[in-house]
Amino acid sequence: MASRDWPRIQDFPSATRTKLIDSVKQLKKENVSTLTVLVMGKGGVGKSSTVNSILGERAIATGSIQLQESRPVMVTRCSSRYTLNISDAKDPVSAFTLHIIDTPGLVEAGAVNYHVLDIIKRYLLGRTIDVLLYVDRLDQYRVDSLDQQIVAAISDRFGKEIWRRGIVVLTHALLIPPDELGYDEFFSRRSQALLEVVGAGAKIKRQEVRGAIPVVLVENSTRCSRNENDEKIIPTGIAWIPNLMKTITEVVSNGSKGIKVDKNLIDGPNPNQRGKWLIPLIAAFQYFFIVMPLQMLIETDAEAERKSLNK
Ligand code: GDP
Ligand code: MG
């Protein structure tokens, strides 16, 4: 199936488009010609809207529950050799392929929806997740145990290594913080709180999470301000779409491995339950040190009984 070209001229201001192309070229330099981005999070946080913003078009329905998919949706775009201005004839015409996988919200009736997670996992069979965008909103004031359970569930299903390829994406970046807090301070508190949750949920050491998992701001609303080059900017002045793509590129290049979703990951033990290899050892231990001595005792008793009966 032929996929649409990205980033198209008509969908982005040229300054944004140039930066997106730079990121793709950077990825190509790292020998990444296919990039698979998985988007997960609670419902209504702006996952689908963020996908649309990255694509520069309304590829996926957003907003009302009725319009939301109950299954993952993959959108594929490619950057042609002409878009990237590559003259190398050895490079295929569609020199770079971007897959973005949007998913249904992971919470139902106030609890983690493990069923959806398993649907997502099966949907991904045969693919490698290069980046996980874990989406939440900036304009929330607290994290709770449910957030931690979501992270734990993702880690349980995909292995906690997925967070090495993770980016925390905060939508609604156009927020005006409460009086006493400046924007940067508010952002910093919200990201710290979420990173703590990721650390606790995925059982990763705090210091490993802090430096390693980037937190990026997103504003999908049409009210988003623009800079002199017509690029959508967040209150810190950053053109956020190319910034998100740049962060994705950095995460892909951080030396960690993508998460390969193979039959093993789907049918095998959940990857996070390490220590499972101990189970046969424990069984063996129990057999030799508990069951066998018991049997011997029983046998000696039985023998003694037989002897006494024979008397
Ligand atoms: P999803 O369920 O996570 O896919 O969330 P959607 O992308 O469908 O967004 C849910 C609602 O939030 C929609 O009405 C969006 O227009 C709105 N929304 C999403 N992102 C933003 C954002 O960054 N800022 C604002 N103001 N609204 C947003
Ligand atoms: Mg959605």
Side-chain angles (χ1 to χ4, degrees):
M1 194 186 65
S3 45
R4 296 261 294 270
D5 196 40
W6 177 87
R8 293 193 301 177
I9 295 169
Q10 61 267 44
D11 296 330
F12 295 98
S14 75
T16 291
R17 185 166 175 269
T18 305
K19 290 179 208 161
L20 292 175
I21 290 173
D22 283 347
S23 284
V24 172
K25 285 186 171 164
Q26 184 63 39
L27 285 165
K28 294 266 308 169
K29 221 181 273 170
E30 308 261 348
N31 282 323
V32 180
S33 293
T34 302
L35 181 74
T36 303
V37 179
L38 176 63
V39 184
M40 292 204 281
K42 292 180 277 197
V45 292
K47 296 182 298 298
S48 307
S49 306
T50 303
V51 171
N52 288 341
S53 294
I54 297 171
L55 297 173
E57 53 176 306
R58 280 190 58 88
I60 297 175
T62 59
S64 74
I65 308 267
Q66 292 93 300
L67 285 177
Q68 282 174 17
E69 290 280 347
S70 54
R71 287 176 300 146
V73 176
M74 184 167 85
V75 186
T76 300
R77 294 289 180 265
C78 71
S79 313
S80 70
R81 208 160 66 197
Y82 314 106
T83 298
L84 300 179
N85 201 6
I86 299 173
S87 50
D88 187 355
K90 270 183 284 170
D91 233 310
V93 175
S94 52
F96 176 82
T97 305
L98 171 68
H99 300 299
I100 306 189
I101 298 154
D102 188 28
T103 62
L106 293 178
V107 172
E108 193 170 294
V112 179
N113 189 338
Y114 292 93
H115 179 61
V116 160
L117 261 176
D118 286 332
I119 290 177
I120 297 171
K121 202 163 140 178
R122 255 177 273 133
Y123 181 88
L124 290 167
L125 178 62
R127 296 192 181 277
T128 297
I129 307 164
D130 294 305
V131 174
L132 166 67
L133 300 185
Y134 182 73
V135 184
D136 205 330
R137 294 170 63 143
L138 174 66
D139 62 342
Q140 306 275 305
Y141 300 89
R142 58 185 84 235
V143 291
D144 58 30
S145 63
L146 183 59
D147 295 305
Q148 192 172 319
Q149 285 163 32
I150 298 169
V151 172
I154 293 173
S155 315
D156 181 63
R157 292 307 198 265
F158 293 95
K160 67 177 178 184
E161 287 73 25
I162 195 167
W163 296 102
R164 294 203 184 283
R165 290 300 185 107
I167 298 173
V168 174
V169 170
L170 298 179
T171 62
H172 293 73
L174 206 64
L175 123 148
I176 296 157
D179 285 344
E180 66 278 16
L181 283 182
Y183 189 86
D184 291 343
E185 178 66 16
F186 185 90
F187 169 60
S188 151
R189 286 193 194 186
R190 177 79 178 134
S191 18
Q192 282 315 319
L194 274 166
L195 288 181
E196 298 253 324
V197 156
V198 171
K203 302 202 178 71
I204 309 172
K205 285 194 204 89
R206 195 177 284 178
Q207 57 269 38
E208 278 181 41
V209 174
R210 278 225 180 120
I213 304 182
V215 183
V216 298
L217 290 167
V218 159
E219 178 52 70
N220 294 307
S221 155
T222 48
R223 288 178 295 129
C224 191
S225 321
R226 290 173 183 259
N227 66 12
E228 67 283 3
N229 295 324
D230 203 31
E231 296 181 279
K232 289 182 178 171
I233 52 166
I234 49 173
T236 54
I238 291 172
W240 73 262
I241 296 173
N243 180 57
L244 174 56
M245 193 58 199
K246 184 166 165 267
T247 310
I248 288 174
T249 306
E250 283 161 5
V251 165
V252 170
S253 321
N254 73 6
S256 64
K257 279 210 199 94
I259 305 299
K260 200 166 186 293
V261 184
D262 50 18
K263 270 199 87 56
N264 231 353
L265 188 73
I266 289 179
D267 299 332
N270 281 327
N272 246 16
Q273 296 170 354
R274 293 240 185 75
K276 269 210 159 168
W277 59 274
L278 276 172
I279 292 172
L281 278 186
I282 293 169
F285 175 87
Q286 286 176 335
Y287 181 76
F288 287 113
F289 293 95
I290 302 171
V291 181
M292 244 169 55
L294 267 177
Q295 276 176 345
M296 277 155 72
L297 267 181
I298 293 166
E299 268 162 35
T300 344
D301 273 2
E303 186 78 356
E305 217 161 304
R306 238 176 283 137
K307 275 185 188 155
S308 62
L309 277 176
N310 287 344
K311 263 186 197 161

